[in-house]
Structures are given as structure tokens and as C-alpha cells.
């Protein structure tokens, strides 16, 4: 299937990542279906995009006409039945294997037979999802980074089941939405960026839990000494501390290694509901919580 035959993109999951991926695709000229099982999540996803795009208009990065044209290309729906014309699917739902497998089984039924089914997950490799479909050769990982509207890189991962044509199509699609794709020829949990970042996160948490330095000072060191744009604790607040928790739990369930479990302080934050920016408090406290996602 040539890239010119991809006309409609479906994004499943209207949280922060899904909503932004949908907007990236719409701004590149694609018709987009943004689907979520929750009507409330769709409303919140639209609110997130309204706020993000208004900032870009105010800063002169986009015109109001460009933003309106992009929104006109996005259709919000709770029905998977609305994916009958979709050519490329990007799943961006919760990081839980069984929920994703159930979704991929449904995507296989509701989308055209030629459609590529991609997961945005960087933890759950597509070989764990492919056999839930009748098209394993058309299943792969296409991993965007948060915030998807800003970050340029996208990791495309070819599993042992993924055809060369699907991998090539995914790479071409990423280029067509003005992102920079890198291809991983083998599956590995965490891929490249998050495996490297994970080591930094682990050390940052170790330093905090052992009283070596405060989370604020650890973040400052990473920014001032390592020239990182954001510190590890501020980054966890941005992406969601619950995401870190679920990723580590998935890794622990796969390995059985106690060292792969979420850090104690991360678990405590999740139990308290202090998930970062989306709840108004994480490692830092924020003036107001953004729209619930």
C-alpha cells in the first residue's frame, strides 16, 4: 500500500498523548478519527487541544485559520464502528496488556483489512498484541514522545511478525506528519530512548530515597550540568507518575525481578492520587490541575 493511499488515520484513546497525536496528523492534512470509550474523555481531549492550539495562535506560531482547519479534520467518537474507512490506526490507551489485546481484537474486526494497526506503547511490544488479530504482519509499534505536538522523534519497531512493507509504510507515514522516524529492527521493552531514560530515572529516585539530595536539586543538576531541558522528577509529573508505575509493573510481571518493581516513592504517589500535572500535585505542586484525562 503506497503512502498516498493513507487518507484516514484513527487514534484510539483521547488522553494527552492520543489527543496530541490526533492533532499532529490533522495538521499534516489527514482526516482523523479520535475514538475513546468515554465521552467525557473526548470532551477533555478536545479541551486539551483547544488550550494547546490557542497558545500557539497567541505566540504567532499558527494562524487561527490553520487551527480551525485542523480541528475540522478531526472527528470525535465513542464508536469503533466509525473506523470503517481507516487506513492507519494508532492505539494510545492505558498500558495494560489485556485491555490492549481486547482492543486489537476489536480493531481487527472494525477496520478495513488493509489497515495498519500500530500501538504507541513503549513498554508492550507489538508481538504481544499481533496474535489477537488476523493480520499480525500489519501490526507494529509507532512510539511518539510526550508532548507529541512538540517532540520530533518517533520510534518505529518491527516485531518478528511485522512485514517489511508495514515497517516501511510506518516510517513513510511518520515522515508524512513531519516527524523524524527511527527504525528498530528488533523488539526490546522500552526501546532506545526510554531504556536510557529509565536508567537515569532509577538513579534519580535512588538519590532521593536515600536522602542524597532533594528532587528539586536533582532536577536542577540534570538541567544545569547535563543540559537536559527538564529534570527527571518534573518529567515524571509531566508524563504522569501513574504511567511510570504501570510501565514498571508491566516490566516486573514479565521478568519477575524485584528490581523491576516501581520505586516505593512512586507507588506511594500513585496510592495518594498524586499523579503529577494532571492531578495538580506530584513531586511538585501546581496552581491548578489541567483538564482531567
Amino acid at each position: 500500500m503506497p503512502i498516498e493511499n493513507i487518507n484516514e488515520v484513527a487514534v484510539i484513546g483521547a488522553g494527552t498523548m492520543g489527543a496530541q497525536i490526533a492533532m499532529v496528523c490533522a495538521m499534516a492534512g489527514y482526516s482523523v478519527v479520535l475514538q475513546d470509550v468515554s465521552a467525557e474523555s473526548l470532551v477533555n481531549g478536545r479541551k486539551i487541544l483547544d488550550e494547546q492550539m490557542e497558545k500557539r495562535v497567541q505566540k504567532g506560531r499558527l494562524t487561527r485559520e490553520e487551527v480551525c482547519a485542523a480541528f475540522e479534520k478531526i472527528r470525535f467518537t465513542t464508536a469503533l464502528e466509525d473506523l470503517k474507512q481507516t487506513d492507519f490506526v494508532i492505539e494510545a490507551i492505558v498500558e495494560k496488556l489485556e485491555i490492549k489485546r481486547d482492543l486489537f481484537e476489536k480493531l481487527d474486526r472494525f477496520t478495513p483489512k488493509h489497515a495498519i494497526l500500530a500501538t504507541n506503547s513503549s513498554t508492550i511490544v507489538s508481538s504481544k498484541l499481533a496474535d489477537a488479530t488476523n493480520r499480525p504482519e500489519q501490526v507494529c509499534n509507532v512510539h511518539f514522545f510526550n508532548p507529541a505536538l512538540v517532540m520530533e522523534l518517533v520510534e518505529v519497531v518491527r516485531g518478528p511478525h511485522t512485514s517489511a512493507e508495514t515497517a516501511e509504510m510506518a516510517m513513510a507515514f511518520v515522515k508524512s506528519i513531519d516527524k523524524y522516524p527511527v527504525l528498530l529492527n528488533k523488539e526490546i521493552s522500552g526501546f532506545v530512548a526510554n531504556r536510557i531514560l529509565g536508567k537515569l530515572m532509577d538513579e534519580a529516585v535512588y538519590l532521593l530515597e536515600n536522602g542524597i539530595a532533594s528532587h528539586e536539586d536533582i532536577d536542577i543538576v540534570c538541567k544545569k550540568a547535563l543540559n537536559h531541558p527538564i529534570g527527571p522528577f518534573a518529567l515524571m509529573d509531566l508524563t504522569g507518575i501513574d504511567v511510570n508505575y504501570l510501565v514498571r509493573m508491566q516490566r516486573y510481571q514479565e521478568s519477575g525481578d524485584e528490581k523491576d518493581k516501581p520505586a516505593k516513592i512512586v507507588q506511594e504517589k500513585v496510592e495518594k492520587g498524586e499523579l503529577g500535572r494532571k492531578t495538580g500535585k506530584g513531586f511538585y505542586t501546581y496552581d491548578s490541575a489541567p483538564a482531567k484525562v
Side-chain angles (χ1 to χ4, degrees), residues 39 45 70 76 89 95 118 123 138 172 184 189 201 205 215-216 230 248 256-258 274 285:
F76 298 79
V89 179
E95 290 289 276
T123 306
Q138 293 164 230
L184 280 67
S189 180
M201 290 284 194
V205 169
H215 68 271
E216 295 96 338
I230 187 172
R248 295 307 295 260
D257 190 337
E258 292 287 324
E274 297 175 0
T285 299

Side-chain angles (χ1 to χ4, degrees), residues 109-139:
R109 287 192 281 121
F110 288 114
T111 60
K113 296 303 179 185
H114 69 269
I116 290 173
L117 308 180
T119 173
N120 181 58
S121 178
S122 67
T123 306
I124 299 173
V125 292
S126 68
S127 60
K128 295 182 179 295
L129 306 171
D131 66 349
T133 77
N134 291 307
R135 60 182 99 176
E137 70 284 354
Q138 293 164 230
V139 179

Side-chain angles (χ1 to χ4, degrees), residues 78-203:
T78 58
L80 285 174
E81 290 85 352
D82 289 340
L83 274 59
K84 293 178 181 178
Q85 303 300 319
T86 292
D87 304 301
F88 200 105
V89 179
I90 303 168
E91 168 270 312
I93 65 170
V94 65
E95 290 289 276
K96 293 186 178 180
L97 178 58
E98 289 309 312
I99 296 177
K100 287 184 187 288
R101 283 183 60 84
D102 180 66
L103 172 64
F104 270 69
E105 186 274 329
K106 292 175 181 175
L107 290 174
D108 190 51
R109 287 192 281 121
F110 288 114
T111 60
K113 296 303 179 185
H114 69 269
I116 290 173
L117 308 180
T119 173
N120 181 58
S121 178
S122 67
T123 306
I124 299 173
V125 292
S126 68
S127 60
K128 295 182 179 295
L129 306 171
D131 66 349
T133 77
N134 291 307
R135 60 182 99 176
E137 70 284 354
Q138 293 164 230
V139 179
C140 64
N141 288 76
V142 176
H143 175 232
F144 291 75
F145 291 85
N146 190 28
L149 280 166
V150 177
M151 300 296 283
E152 294 181 63
L153 190 73
V154 176
E155 293 172 315
V156 175
V157 186
R158 181 182 178 184
H161 54 280
T162 309
S163 70
E165 180 185 7
T166 294
E168 291 168 4
M169 181 61 63
M171 292 286 287
F173 171 73
V174 171
K175 291 177 183 177
S176 76
I177 58 173
D178 300 320
K179 297 295 184 182
Y180 192 101
V182 293
L183 178 64
L184 280 67
N185 289 304
K186 293 182 179 180
E187 292 184 332
I188 186 168
S189 180
F191 307 154
V192 175
N194 282 344
R195 289 183 70 86
I196 295 171
L197 178 61
K199 297 298 183 183
L200 185 144
M201 290 284 194
D202 287 349
E203 188 62 26

Side-chain angles (χ1 to χ4, degrees), residues 54-73:
E54 180 61 27
K55 289 178 183 177
R56 284 161 174 72
V57 170
Q58 294 300 323
K59 292 179 180 179
R61 295 174 182 171
L62 294 170
T63 65
R64 198 164 299 282
E65 291 73 20
E66 289 172 325
V67 170
C68 289
F71 270 115
E72 287 177 1
K73 289 186 171 294

